Amino acid sequence: MSTAGTIAINQSEIIYAPGTSDAEIEAAAIAASRRHRLLVLAWRLGILAALLSLWEGAARSGVIDAFFYSYPTAIAARLCELIVEGTDEASLWYHLWLTMEEAIIGFFTGSALGIVCGVALGRNKLAADIFAPYIKTLNAIPRVVLAPIFILLLGFGLWSKVALAFVMVFFVVFSNAFQGVREADRAMIANAQILGAKPWAVTTAVIIPSAMSWIFASLHISFSFAIVGAIVGEFVGARYGIGFLIQEARGVHDTAAMYAAIVLIVIVVLTAEWVMTRIENRLARWRPPPTQGH
Amino acid sequence: MSDTPAIELINVSRRFLSPDGHAFSTLKDFSLTVRRGEFVALVGPTGCGKSTTLNLITGLGHPSSGQVKVFGKPVSGIDPRIGFTFQADALFPWRNVIDNVVAGPLFRGRAKAEAYDKARDWLARVGLAKFERHYPHQLSGGMKKRVALAQTFINNPEILLMDEPFSALDVQTRVLMHEELLRLWSETGAAVVFVTHDLEEAIGLADTVYVLTTRPATIKSVHRIDIPRPRIISEVRYDETFIAISRRIWADLKEEVEAGTLAAA
Ligand SMILES: Nc1ncnc2c1ncn2[C@@H]1O[C@H](COP(=O)(O)OP(=O)(O)OP(=O)(O)O)[C@@H](O)[C@H]1O
Ligand SMILES: [Mg+2]
């Protein structure tokens, strides 16, 4: 998006000679935009290579302690090893899948309930006023302190982590859905009512679509919150999972494995983010293209 | 039956609470009668209570005292015979043009196929047949207003309330929209209450122009517009009757606007 903005600026600065045809201008614009993309890509790769070699060099030459900080090639090697051999307890994929399962179940249940409660309270002022202090209080609890309690209640297995992921997600989505409902345009609601919409139709045809951009904004951060919930739960008590793997690696001072696990989680979160953006773009085709910021 | 008026407001008052908790009147002993098929324009100083009046007729707002009747019956809830065109853009931006137009019939439980046929028909009537699949943000201001008109007219309203519907348009487009509106209106025979700040618009369109006083609003004067129909809006403004009426209404309105600014100062 921001790249498109820059291209637009560049084009507007070009002054074409009189008599330049549309086709020539279009070709020039396409070439300029391709040059721009390649330039951006080259810089990105260059910066990545520079940072990685700096890290590698610093660790190997002893400027930083390789024992604590590890270094890229060691991490890559350890990651390959983990992929091929797994850990003593299970394969890497099993650990990863378990963490994902916890996060995904927590994410979907938490956001579904968050949307339902947010829309319901947003539509009902009396209920919203009654429940406001309760919600504020619950929201004031730092979520991670619940981890030991959930493990006590639900055991070392899947469900204690799902519960933690759920509470991480629920409040964020809830408050965004609630806010989105409150911001729905009054004229649009009145229009729907006069056109014949009953309250339920107003909710589904006006309130929810107009709250959708708020809800999506919260879903983007929520998935990484769900992962945080799952991993923190595993830190506190688990037999499998990426959090457990990191905890184990720390026990035996295997820093490369800890970093390898982080790399893995980052890849997962970025992929989820990408999928979510795709879904959002598909749902939001009606929206005008974002104004090109400078 | 057919001589019961479309709309009656009888000694209506509407009070609001100001932010510091004091009650103030927006309408006071306000009475207005609109015949079936009559085109009424309301003009008056800003903030005098024109939008409030329309809200009372739709049933979205309730009078503090007095009676509001639609076709002889007191208003309770939203009457399906009423259509409303808003000043602000009230189209649903996430629906394309045809899905916006079809909203009314679908909300009212009509069959889908029938509703879409009717919507296509209305889009053709407002000259937007080719734009069915466009989203509102892809349309010009004038096109959006046409969609809004189709969205309203598809429900066959017997009463049409319009709150400064064309105020955001440029002058040329506005005149086109006036002709469009008069054409659609003459085919339906609905009673219209049209709120505007534009006197030429009021006189050009209406059978009767009501000038409201500054808040609390009552009716200051009533002007019958005896310009024969069909009117050609782009020419009617050079008509002598038009100019004479225009001068009279201006004088009335000017007094009220000045009274309003004095009160505020
Ligand atoms: N819901 C409300 N609560 C409190 N005051 C209100 C409310 N709605 C309208 N008012 C007040 O009532 C008065 C009349 O408002 P209204 O919108 O009817 O004016 P208007 O004649 O349509 O003005 P304009 O020409 O600017 O659109 C204003 O002073 C406004 O502040
Ligand atoms: Mg108004």
Side-chain angles (χ1 to χ4, degrees):
Chain A
M1 267 162 257
S2 56
T3 50
T6 349
I7 299 167
I9 302 168
N10 289 347
Q11 276 171 5
S12 62
E13 281 169 0
I14 301 170
I15 296 164
Y16 293 98
T20 318
S21 74
D22 285 353
E24 282 171 311
I25 293 177
E26 281 161 17
I30 290 169
S33 105
R34 184 179 315 125
R35 266 201 308 280
H36 178 84
R37 274 205 310 276
L38 287 176
L39 184 68
V40 169
L41 188 64
W43 268 102
R44 284 177 181 169
L45 292 176
I47 291 172
L48 179 68
L51 286 177
L52 289 181
S53 23
L54 206 67
W55 185 1
E56 182 90 21
R60 283 180 184 254
S61 63
V63 178
I64 57 173
D65 191 340
F67 178 75
F68 290 115
Y69 294 98
S70 194
Y71 47 91
T73 50
I75 294 167
R78 190 77 184 90
L79 188 58
C80 290
E81 216 174 279
L82 279 172
I83 290 172
V84 178
E85 294 170 12
T87 66
D88 294 342
E89 294 78 16
S91 75
L92 179 67
W93 303 126
Y94 183 77
H95 287 297
L96 182 62
W97 169 242
L98 195 74
T99 304
M100 291 298 295
E101 202 180 347
E102 295 156 357
I104 289 173
I105 299 176
F107 173 74
F108 278 106
T109 53
S111 43
L113 204 69
I115 293 172
V116 170
C117 293
V119 171
L121 285 200
R123 287 288 273 153
N124 186 333
K125 187 164 157 37
L126 179 64
D129 287 346
I130 292 171
F131 287 111
Y134 292 103
I135 290 162
K136 276 217 179 81
T137 310
L138 289 179
N139 195 22
I141 301 172
R143 250 61 93 199
V144 290
V145 307
L146 297 172
I149 297 174
F150 284 148
I151 284 172
L152 208 63
L153 286 174
L154 301 167
F156 279 82
L158 180 79
W159 295 107
S160 52
K161 286 77 183 179
V162 168
L164 199 58
F166 173 91
V167 294
M168 295 287 298
V169 169
F170 174 81
F171 283 98
V172 183
V173 177
F174 167 83
S175 59
N176 267 47
F178 182 79
Q179 193 62 27
V181 168
R182 285 301 175 87
E183 306 264 313
D185 187 51
R186 305 205 133 268
M188 223 181 277
I189 296 173
N191 192 19
Q193 287 176 313
I194 293 171
L195 288 174
K198 301 282 174 287
W200 178 248
V202 173
T203 303
T204 55
V206 184
I207 304 284
I208 291 179
S210 68
M212 217 51 208
S213 47
W214 281 80
I215 291 171
F216 255 102
S218 70
L219 293 185
H220 274 291
I221 35 172
S222 289
F223 189 75
S224 42
F225 279 15
I227 295 267
V228 171
I231 288 182
V232 169
E234 290 166 356
F235 281 169
V236 176
R239 292 189 202 92
Y240 304 99
I242 294 294
F244 168 80
L245 194 153
I246 293 175
Q247 201 65 316
E248 281 271 291
R250 191 188 59 100
V252 297
H253 304 295
D254 184 356
T255 44
M258 295 167 74
Y259 287 106
I262 295 174
V263 170
L264 214 56
I265 282 296
V266 166
I267 293 173
V268 166
V269 171
L270 287 179
T271 314
E273 178 79 10
W274 179 79
V275 170
M276 209 112 66
T277 309
R278 289 288 295 254
I279 296 174
E280 186 180 10
N281 286 347
R282 173 150 306 184
L283 286 180
R285 259 175 307 184
W286 57 269
R287 230 179 277 162
T291 42
Q292 302 190 331
H294 296 164
Chain B
M1 177 66 201
S2 64
D3 49 339
T4 47
I7 304 168
E8 285 167 285
L9 282 85
I10 306 160
N11 287 326
V12 169
S13 301
R14 176 72 170 113
R15 281 187 289 273
F16 287 113
L17 286 182
S18 64
D20 52 5
H22 292 292
F24 66 93
S25 291
T26 295
L27 299 179
K28 199 172 180 190
D29 300 328
F30 187 93
S31 296
L32 173 75
T33 305
V34 181
R35 283 178 284 113
R36 288 164 188 254
E38 187 183 15
F39 198 128
V40 163
L42 298 183
V43 299
T46 176
C48 74
K50 302 182 291 296
S51 303
T52 306
T53 308
L54 295 188
N55 256 335
L56 296 181
I57 303 171
T58 58
L60 287 171
H62 308 284
S64 310
S65 65
Q67 247 195 338
V68 183
K69 288 187 186 174
V70 167
F71 296 113
K73 298 237 167 56
V75 171
S76 63
I78 297 164
D79 194 301
R81 289 168 294 187
I82 292 180
F84 200 115
T85 315
F86 292 81
Q87 170 177 20
D89 206 3
L91 295 177
F92 309 118
W94 47 82
R95 291 183 174 210
N96 63 23
V97 165
I98 187 133
D99 288 334
N100 261 290
V101 176
V102 90
L106 291 187
F107 284 149
R108 288 161 187 227
R110 299 281 183 285
K112 228 172 170 174
E114 177 203 331
Y116 273 93
D117 282 347
K118 216 168 154 195
R120 284 209 183 85
D121 182 44
W122 273 102
L123 280 180
R125 282 205 229 179
V126 297
L128 288 177
K130 290 211 187 73
F131 294 87
E132 277 188 17
R133 304 251 159 261
H134 282 59
Y135 284 93
H137 76 89
Q138 297 167 316
L139 303 178
S140 71
M143 289 156 99
K144 280 189 224 177
K145 281 297 165 198
R146 283 168 207 268
V147 179
L149 286 184
Q151 192 184 47
T152 306
F153 273 99
I154 194 173
N155 281 332
N156 297 322
E158 290 171 51
I159 293 179
L160 185 55
L161 307 175
M162 309 186 85
D163 196 352
E164 306 184 42
F166 307 137
S167 60
L169 302 178
D170 63 275
V171 182
Q172 293 87 350
T173 315
R174 202 182 303 178
V175 170
L176 289 179
M177 293 307 299
H178 290 156
E179 317 232 292
E180 188 103 34
L181 172 64
L182 285 185
R183 185 171 61 77
L184 296 175
W185 170 67
S186 67
E187 290 165 11
T188 64
V192 182
V193 181
F194 191 105
V195 168
T196 178
H197 284 283
D198 179 347
L199 285 191
E200 295 199 347
E201 181 173 68
I203 301 166
L205 294 174
D207 298 314
T208 319
V209 176
Y210 288 84
V211 180
L212 306 190
T213 63
T214 184
R215 210 180 69 202
T218 47
I219 287 166
K220 180 179 177 77
S221 57
V222 184
H223 304 261
R224 306 250 166 253
I225 315 297
D226 295 318
I227 303 173
R229 295 185 190 271
R231 299 177 188 166
I232 298 165
I233 297 294
S234 49
E235 290 169 15
V236 84
R237 68 188 63 208
Y238 308 112
D239 190 295
E240 299 213 350
T241 349
F242 184 100
I243 295 168
I245 298 171
S246 182
R247 199 168 282 147
R248 284 211 306 277
I249 297 182
W250 250 123
D252 282 353
L253 194 57
K254 194 161 156 251
E255 272 177 29
E256 285 310 313
V257 172
E258 279 168 359
T261 28
L262 282 182

